[in-house]
Amino acid sequence: MRRRTVLASAVLAAMTAPGIARAASPGPSVTKKGSTLLDATAVYFVSYDGLVNNNSFQKNGLLTYQGYQYAAWYTAGRDAVVARRAVAGTTWSTVTLPHRLKSDDSHNVISMGVSRADGRLHLNMDSHSDGFFYVKSAAGLLDSPATTAWTASAFGAVQTTLDGLALTSQFTYPQFIATPEGRLQLSYRAGVSGNGRNALAEYDGSRWTALGEWSASTGTYTSAHGSSTARNMYLHGIDYDTAGRLHAFFTWREQNAAVMCSGGGITNHDTGYVYSTDRGRTWRNDAGALVAATGTSDTVSVTDGGLVVDPLNPDHSLMNQESQTTDSAGLPHAIISYVPGRFGQCTTDYVADRTAHGRAFHLRKNASGSWQKTEIPVPLNSSQRTKLVLDRYDNAYAILPYGRIAGASKSSGYTDWALLYDGAGLNAFGEVVVDETRVRQDGVLSFMYQEKSSGTTPSALHVVDFALPA
């Protein structure tokens, strides 16, 4: 294993009183703490160039709450499993749920969420443009984990609705998000790739309510090559900042391949951004103009102005559903990736071209309100996605395919991106699932990864932990 630690220079900043100085905040660094084994033989098959247990758009496949970490996956026998461990421990306790993965589709992930209002764990699983499966724990299970039995009896029956609330027959991409006051929201796509809408549901501690759809699939988009009249908005994430503003970066996926220079590319284009100040009931563009009201006919459309914060045509194999977060000042950050123009202006095989020439970029809004983009100088060597987290000093970390970690310091204006950890020894397949909650709570970068295998031969699933600057 090779590890590189980047530290901020020891600059002293003068304080108000003469002769008194304080040390600058540290720069990014990672120190491997150890790893644990979740499953020696987790289910393994490659579809859509990904694994069902390690698709980075899961929110959350791994999370931490009240000093315990929770993980969910499918076993070699296709059983859905949820496990927990004390964050200081190495032993996982598992519960097998009464559900088995129905198809070899890497989109059919398991996502988890916590409703703080009643201390329940919620799981949504096994869907790709069809019906979902939902299960929740007993109330209070997560509030006192050290004294609460972790058994199958602590979980309710598997349902195909949210406690009787039917959402859509074409459901994909569950993402759970906790509101500042402790409600739990579920973000999802209704419809199919190239013709779908984003929607929200909300749990208040007693019942689920459908808030409705907030993005549109209609409208005409025209590129240099042709037009498309249907699409879907792919989210890079959906996250509350410390002040309660809800942020969402996205890219559009067009239905009509005529918008591309080559049929071997991918129809994703542009990076957009919207936010909500009322828990997702209405949405505003970067300038603050109202562009949508959830659950009405006025939804975010490709024809709305002020949405695009980083323009890019469909000829560069821009990835969808990459990653986002917010810093301590509530400013939004994202990772996007594509094949830069210096490698050509037309990708003809998006997997091969991204593997050969793809690069990740850090896109952020600065304190003056401008958008800045910095290329991360580490080749992707993969078609897959990169995750983004910030430490308590707002230093940035990009968790690249194969478990590699790059970092950049806030003090540099995020211009000093460098590789901190090369992933050696992990034998990770590609994308990893990051515990976003543990980064914030404990200053630990923890991610789940699965070892490379071949065909459908099961392989080991691990969680590895890195200490960030204290």
Side-chain angles (χ1 to χ4, degrees), residues 119-140:
R120 294 183 194 266
L121 182 67
H122 303 250
L123 298 95
N124 191 298
M125 51 195 172
D126 204 2
S127 61
H128 184 194
S129 301
D130 54 11
F132 63 83
F133 299 87
Y134 166 73
V135 64
K136 67 181 181 182
S137 76

Side-chain angles (χ1 to χ4, degrees), residues 9 37 73 107 150 221 245 290 305 324 393 438:
S9 59
L37 177 68
W73 71 95
H107 290 74
W150 185 252
Y221 168 78
R245 176 176 288 193
L290 188 68
Q324 68 168 52
Y393 302 103
R438 195 171 183 200

Side-chain angles (χ1 to χ4, degrees), residues 244-331:
R245 176 176 288 193
L246 185 60
H247 303 259
F249 285 92
F250 62 88
T251 185
W252 296 108
R253 165 78 61 85
E254 297 299 324
Q255 185 182 67
N256 192 348
V259 300
M260 296 187 293
C261 60
S262 168
I266 192 168
T267 58
N268 297 338
H269 63 89
D270 297 318
T271 298
Y273 168 77
V274 290
Y275 70 89
S276 172
T277 58
D278 54 8
R279 308 298 190 260
R281 271 66 175 178
T282 60
W283 295 90
R284 298 180 180 275
N285 66 15
D286 183 43
L290 188 68
V291 290
T294 301
T296 74
S297 60
D298 183 15
T299 51
V300 182
S301 169
V302 72
T303 58
D304 286 335
L307 301 180
V308 176
V309 295
D310 190 69
L312 189 69
N313 66 39
D315 298 336
H316 294 272
S317 293
L318 175 68
M319 181 48 69
N320 49 279
Q321 295 166 291
E322 201 104 28
S323 187
Q324 68 168 52
T325 190
T326 58
D327 62 27
S328 60
L331 296 170

Side-chain angles (χ1 to χ4, degrees), residues 11 52 67 70 90 199 201 206 243 277 306 315 365 400:
V11 178
V52 71
Y70 299 83
T90 59
S206 61
T277 58
D315 298 336
K365 189 172 187 176
L400 297 147

Side-chain angles (χ1 to χ4, degrees), residues 59 116 176-186 200-202 211 237-248 275-281 283 324-327 330 436 440:
K59 193 178 183 78
R116 296 198 308 273
F176 285 108
I177 42 174
T179 69
E181 61 276 356
R183 296 187 178 199
L184 184 65
Q185 294 180 321
L186 177 63
L200 287 170
E202 185 175 86
L211 301 184
I238 185 164
D239 298 274
Y240 284 99
D241 64 23
T242 55
R245 176 176 288 193
L246 185 60
H247 303 259
Y275 70 89
S276 172
T277 58
D278 54 8
R279 308 298 190 260
R281 271 66 175 178
W283 295 90
Q324 68 168 52
T325 190
T326 58
D327 62 27
E436 300 171 5
R440 295 191 296 268

Side-chain angles (χ1 to χ4, degrees), residues 363-378:
L363 177 65
R364 70 184 182 95
K365 189 172 187 176
N366 62 28
S368 67
S370 300
W371 291 91
Q372 293 181 265
K373 185 171 70 172
T374 304
E375 181 176 336
I376 299 173
V378 181

